[in-house]
Amino acid sequence: MTEPPHGAGDALSEILRLQTEFQGRMVDETLRYLRRVQGMFEPHSPGTVLRPDASDALAVTVPLGGRASVVLDVENRQRVHTALAAVLTPLVGDDGTTWFVDADARPAFRLLAPAEQARVTVRLRVPGDVPPGLYRGLVTLRGLHPAGVPLEVTVTEVVA
Amino acid sequence: MTARAQVRLVDEPDRAGRTTAALVASLSGRLAALSLVSGADVVGALAAGVAALGRQAAETTEGRRLRDGLAHGRPATNAALLWKQLGIERWLSTMPPSRVLDQLRNDAALLLVDDLAETFELPPLVAEPTGADRPADPARIDPLDLMVGMWVLATDTVDLVQALADSSGPPTATVVPGRPAPARVDGGVLR
């Protein structure tokens, strides 16, 4: 905690300190504001949005230690080539368990020409130590603006 | 078991779509802006954009794994120290993030369009400004987000360049026959 000033000299130095702090903060905030304004005038880079044809979640049921596949049929409705790289978000169980899925997409990456369609297969492997239950997440494409296809994976016990 | 879904890749609503003219305008606008802003602002906006990309990627499984791996070692400790001591955190947190991945992909897409020459014959399109709908800047830009963003950008760059090379058709033969060397002339003048 700062000691209270005792003499006139201390009071003056305290005023100077506050004044310097104020000036510094004002410069910072002015710069921050100017940079935000500058950012508004930056040329926009058109992006891509992923739009599922149906709102239903992709649902798979897999036993512990098993495998499942999720297939996305993707169509490029843009007028130039679009990059395609499927990724998964971590899956979260009803009990709060977060599962970082071991998955791979085929093809891992490709460029899709205008009006071209492509099929991407994401294969999931369920380890033996995942608590059985329902897990939810998203299948999405790398770098696309927040959106994806909801994914529900039900992990079941292995039936002998 | 297999589940299927159909998805479409479309333009952003209420924005100029990804056309050749729009992509050329975006690229030429960025080039024109270079002479109006300082180098520090350009580097800062790019670094803030890469960090924003890393923050987005950390929501995916591969990005989260990478970030967690970085977070538990010396790189995270040293990066945090550099960030603080060199004032990088304060500098980058004021920067408007550039959409670096969209810029990369749009510029790559321009290399494959079939109407580029026709586009340059038309009156130039003025680049649409980003405007006020840019996502709010984070109060703090984490060095780990920057590292994850660099990984995403580098991975995409490699994939894009490879895809561009593959788009030109089948690769050339792996063995190229050589030509016989010219006959050696043993003359005193040429020695």
Side-chain angles (χ1 to χ4, degrees):
Chain A
M1 197 167 175
T2 313
E3 292 272 329
H6 294 293
D10 287 344
L12 191 61
S13 66
E14 180 64 7
I15 288 170
L16 270 174
R17 188 185 65 79
L18 288 172
Q19 188 67 23
T20 309
E21 260 183 34
F22 170 75
Q23 297 288 353
R25 179 71 63 86
M26 197 168 73
V27 168
D28 273 0
E29 290 303 320
T30 307
L31 272 176
R32 191 183 294 266
Y33 169 75
L34 288 174
R35 281 176 176 148
R36 279 175 192 266
V37 171
Q38 180 184 315
M40 288 167 61
F41 288 99
E42 182 187 319
H44 175 64
S45 295
T48 305
V49 175
L50 184 150
R51 184 167 294 163
D53 276 1
S55 57
D56 299 339
L58 286 160
V60 287
T61 302
V62 205
L64 284 170
R67 291 166 182 266
S69 294
V70 172
V71 175
L72 287 185
D73 288 316
V74 187
E75 181 184 1
N76 179 15
R77 291 279 186 93
Q78 297 194 296
R79 283 158 286 184
V80 294
H81 280 72
T82 299
L84 181 63
V87 287
L88 287 182
T89 63
L91 302 182
V92 180
D94 282 343
D95 62 351
T97 305
T98 304
W99 172 23
F100 294 91
V101 190
D102 184 14
D104 64 272
R106 298 289 170 88
F109 182 94
R110 69 164 291 182
L111 277 175
L112 216 54
E116 189 183 1
Q117 296 187 10
R119 174 165 289 181
V120 182
T121 304
V122 183
R123 292 183 301 181
L124 322 171
R125 284 172 291 279
V126 183
D129 57 351
V130 175
L134 176 63
Y135 292 84
R136 294 184 176 89
L138 283 177
V139 184
T140 186
L141 300 181
R142 187 168 75 208
L144 293 199
H145 301 291
V149 183
L151 172 66
E152 292 180 0
V153 180
T154 305
V155 178
T156 58
E157 299 277 5
V158 180
V159 180
Chain B
M1 184 175 180
T2 302
R4 296 174 189 280
Q6 290 193 326
V7 297
R8 286 168 291 156
L9 302 177
V10 299
D11 290 325
E12 295 171 291
D14 307 322
R15 278 294 195 179
R18 292 178 79 229
T19 62
T20 305
L23 301 194
V24 168
S26 172
L27 176 58
S28 65
R30 274 179 277 138
L31 289 172
L34 281 179
S35 57
L36 302 174
V37 293
S38 73
D41 284 355
V42 173
V43 173
L46 289 176
V50 174
L53 179 63
R55 198 165 37 253
Q56 186 191 357
E59 292 170 11
T60 66
T61 303
E62 61 178 9
R64 173 55 60 180
R65 276 206 191 102
L66 190 69
R67 198 181 193 286
D68 286 349
L70 291 167
H72 293 106
R74 184 172 288 174
T77 316
N78 286 355
L81 191 61
L82 287 167
W83 223 242
K84 187 178 174 191
Q85 294 297 325
L86 302 183
I88 302 172
E89 178 184 339
R90 183 168 166 235
W91 169 51
L92 286 186
S93 66
T94 65
M95 288 293 170
S98 289
R99 290 171 62 164
V100 286
L101 192 65
D102 284 332
Q103 291 171 0
L104 173 71
R105 289 179 171 179
N106 288 343
D107 296 346
L110 273 179
L111 302 178
L112 291 171
V113 296
D114 56 8
D115 58 348
L116 192 58
E118 292 90 325
T119 303
F120 281 117
E121 287 168 6
L122 297 171
L125 197 66
V126 177
E128 183 186 20
T130 294
D133 64 345
R134 177 193 292 275
D137 294 356
R140 179 171 181 271
I141 291 183
D142 196 299
L144 296 183
D145 290 332
L146 184 71
M147 285 190 262
V148 175
M150 286 165 68
W151 178 82
V152 174
L153 198 62
T155 304
D156 225 74
T157 305
V158 170
D159 288 341
L160 268 174
V161 173
Q162 186 63 57
L164 288 173
D166 293 344
S167 71
S168 305
T172 51
T174 49
V175 179
V176 180
R179 284 181 300 181
R184 184 171 173 172
V185 180
D186 286 329
V189 176
L190 296 174
R191 195 168 283 174

